[in-house]
Structure formats: structure tokens, C-alpha cells
Amino acid sequence: MERGWFYAEGEGSVGPVSFDALTAALLRVPEPGQSFVWREGFENWRLAKDVPELARWIRKRALA
């Protein structure tokens, strides 16, 4: 996917990053679904678990 993702980290945000870089960052947190993410087209920041492509990725990781 394109480099257009941002994620919240501490009091700031990181990005733009690719989908692969985003998921690598989410692997470093205890609850990736509770991380805030944003990309063009989103009105506001969203929890990763509420973004369909990230929700699928989170479910796959949970099953692994």
C-alpha cells in the first residue's frame, strides 16, 4: 500500500509510513487495536481495530 498512514506515538504522530511500516509499529505495542491511526480520507483519527484492513490484520495476528 502507499505511504500514507500515520500513527499516534506518545504525544505525537509518526508518518507518513507504508502499511507494512505501520503494522511493524503496531507489533511493538501490547494492544495494537487500541492504537490511533490516520490516512487521507479519514475525517478523524481512528482506532486501528475500527479500520477494516487493520482489523483483518489484527485478527490474523491473534490467530497466529
Side-chain angles (χ1 to χ4, degrees):
M1 288 194 172
E2 77 286 346
R3 293 179 54 89
W5 290 94
F6 293 78
Y7 61 94
E9 185 171 88
E11 295 295 317
S13 64
V14 177
V17 298
S18 68
F19 184 81
D20 289 341
L22 172 63
T23 55
L26 293 177
L27 284 174
R28 297 190 304 259
V29 298
E31 294 186 49
Q34 298 301 313
S35 297
F36 282 97
V37 299
W38 183 88
R39 70 167 184 215
E40 188 174 328
F42 289 3
E43 222 173 283
N44 297 303
W45 288 78
R46 297 182 184 177
L47 289 174
K49 69 181 181 85
D50 296 332
V51 177
E53 57 265 58
L54 290 172
R56 284 190 296 275
W57 177 83
I58 292 166
R59 279 194 300 275
K60 284 181 185 178
R61 296 292 306 165
L63 296 173

